[in-house]
């Protein structure tokens, strides 16, 4: 017997089952369920395949508390989850260029040791961007030492009228409920996905950026023959990055964005996912409310700086 079902895939469960000589319990993430077989992945990575006929009791268990996040690690993880069209380094500092499309794809990520005095590193970064006819920009965590050091070199807010960007995080357990809608997941996006993801022409570099991660998936919800919502997920270690979420104007406030996030989370569980992050402008109050309801909380916030 089993008190579980397909709806519980991705959630933490406890499964009591028979083994030679008695009974034992397995606690972990429900990776797969069929009427004949239950598969549970333990926190240590081991996978337990349990015939349903051996199960004597099974149930979901409460989500794990949201643990503190390693902000330095997450700062780098976000860059790996959505690689730029072109990259270079100044020491450990990452230079990214993507033909001007998105701030993340065209900014310096000052993480680690630049291997030289900060003014010299910024000079090299400025040269990199000007050679590509791009404004020099640095993505800095608000209040970080790098923020202060780069400002001390005369760099200023690149977007003074725009709010901070929040990087939010949570454990996968909080967001992997069964979606209200049927979420289709594809290894590569098609023309319909891109048409739904962009208002107007698709930037030439966008496919290289969005499809450039080693492990990514593209989610969509189709209603009445119309692709009404899309999103993208990428795996970096045990982190699921969620981005490129867009819901068509006529389908907003119907829970489609939530369904996309949940569909991506359920994809990530069997791929080793344990935590998830996304980015949102503070001024986007509707998205902030949705993500907060799903259990996301602030890890840090960032802004863009530019040279005078």
């Amino acid at each position: 017997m089993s008190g579980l079902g397909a709806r519980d895939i991705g959630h933490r469960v406890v499964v009591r089952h028979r083994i030679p000589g008695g009974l034992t319990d397995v606690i972990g993430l429900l990776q797969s369920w069929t009427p004949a077989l239950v598969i549970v992945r333990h926190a240590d990575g081991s996978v337990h395949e349990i015939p349903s006929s051996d199960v004597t009791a099974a149930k979901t268990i409460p989500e794990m508390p949201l643990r503190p996040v390693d902000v330095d690690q997450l700062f780098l993880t976000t860059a790996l989850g959505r690689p730029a069209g072109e990259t270079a380094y100044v020491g450990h500092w990452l230079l990214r260029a993507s033909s001007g499309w998105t701030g993340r794809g065209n900014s310096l990520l000052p993480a680690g040791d630049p291997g030289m005095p900060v003014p010299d590193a910024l000079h090299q970064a400025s040269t990199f961007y000007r050679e590509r006819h791009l404004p020099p920009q640095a993505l800095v965590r608000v209040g970080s030492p790098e923020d202060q050091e780069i400002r001390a070199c005369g760099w200023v807010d690149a977007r003074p009228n725009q709010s901070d960007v929040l990087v939010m995080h949570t454990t996968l357990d909080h967001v992997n409920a069964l979606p209200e809608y049927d979420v289709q997941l594809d290894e590569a996006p098609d023309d319909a996905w891109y048409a739904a993801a962009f208002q107007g022409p698709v930037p030439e570099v966008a496919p290289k950026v969005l499809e450039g991660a080693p492990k990514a998936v593209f989610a969509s919800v189709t209603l009445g023959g119309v692709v009404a919502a899309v999103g993208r997920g990428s795996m970096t270690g045990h982190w699921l990055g969620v981005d490129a979420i867009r819901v068509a104007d006529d389908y907003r406030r119907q829970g489609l964005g939530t369904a996309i996030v949940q569909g991506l989370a359920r994809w990530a569980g069997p791929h080793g996912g344990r935590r998830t992050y996304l980015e949102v402008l503070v001024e986007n109050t509707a998205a902030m409310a949705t993500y907060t309801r799903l259990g996301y909380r602030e890890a840090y916030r960032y802004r863009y700086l530019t040279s005078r």
Side-chain angles (χ1 to χ4, degrees):
M1 61 167 288
S2 171
L4 305 175
R7 66 187 180 282
D8 300 312
I9 293 173
H11 287 277
R12 294 181 73 228
V13 298
V14 56
V15 179
R16 176 163 292 181
H17 62 284
R18 301 182 188 89
I19 58 172
L23 296 172
T24 189
D25 291 338
V26 172
I27 296 176
L29 209 67
L30 183 62
Q31 183 166 307
S32 178
W33 178 92
T34 69
L37 185 68
V38 175
I39 301 179
V40 178
R41 178 167 53 80
H42 192 268
D44 64 7
S46 60
V47 176
H48 300 259
E49 298 186 0
I50 307 165
S52 295
S53 58
D54 288 342
V55 176
T56 62
K59 64 180 181 178
T60 59
I61 56 179
E63 302 156 346
M64 294 182 65
L66 186 56
R67 302 188 308 276
V69 66
D70 183 333
V71 172
D72 291 332
Q73 179 199 61
L74 183 55
F75 192 53
L76 289 171
T77 297
T78 61
L80 296 173
R82 184 165 165 161
E86 178 187 1
T87 58
Y89 285 90
V90 176
H92 293 156
W93 285 13
L94 176 63
L95 299 167
R96 302 173 293 182
S98 303
S99 302
W101 182 61
T102 78
R104 282 178 286 176
N106 297 274
S107 56
L108 163 69
L109 194 80
D113 183 2
M116 62 186 71
V118 170
D120 295 340
L122 292 176
H123 177 73
Q124 288 200 23
S126 296
T127 299
F128 173 88
Y129 287 109
R130 291 194 173 108
E131 286 175 348
R132 289 153 181 80
H133 308 288
L134 296 170
Q137 284 193 128
L139 187 160
V140 295
R141 300 201 312 267
V142 174
S144 66
E146 293 79 12
D147 181 7
Q148 298 168 9
E149 291 171 348
I150 293 173
R151 287 182 186 273
C153 293
W155 287 46
V156 297
D157 287 342
R159 306 176 184 185
N161 298 320
Q162 179 180 291
S163 66
D164 294 337
V165 180
L166 282 186
V167 176
M168 305 182 76
H169 75 107
T170 190
T171 59
L172 215 59
D173 280 357
H174 284 79
V175 293
N176 60 4
L178 184 66
E180 184 179 350
Y181 300 90
D182 182 20
V183 179
Q184 180 173 327
L185 301 171
D186 296 298
E187 293 184 357
D190 58 15
D191 291 342
W193 189 96
Y194 276 113
F198 290 88
Q199 288 182 313
V202 178
E204 184 177 351
V205 73
K208 183 175 182 180
V209 172
L210 294 174
E211 301 176 43
K215 185 184 294 184
V217 71
F218 299 84
S220 61
V221 173
T222 300
L223 299 176
V226 175
V227 179
V230 295
R232 172 184 176 272
S234 61
M235 289 298 302
T236 305
H238 65 266
W239 281 100
L240 165 69
V242 174
D243 70 345
I245 293 180
R246 183 168 179 271
V247 179
D249 292 345
D250 293 342
Y251 296 91
R252 292 183 177 175
R253 302 188 182 278
Q254 298 180 37
L256 291 172
T258 294
I260 290 289
V261 175
Q262 292 170 332
L264 292 171
R266 293 172 77 82
W267 166 82
H271 288 276
R274 298 201 300 276
R275 309 188 79 170
T276 170
Y277 69 87
L278 49 76
E279 303 185 11
V280 60
L281 282 167
V282 174
E283 63 196 36
N284 190 345
T285 54
M288 286 278 295
T290 295
Y291 300 144
T292 300
R293 281 196 303 271
L294 284 169
Y296 283 92
R297 298 294 183 265
E298 178 179 343
Y300 62 88
R301 54 185 64 196
Y302 69 77
R303 295 187 67 84
Y304 295 99
L305 303 181
T306 188
S307 61
R308 295 181 185 273

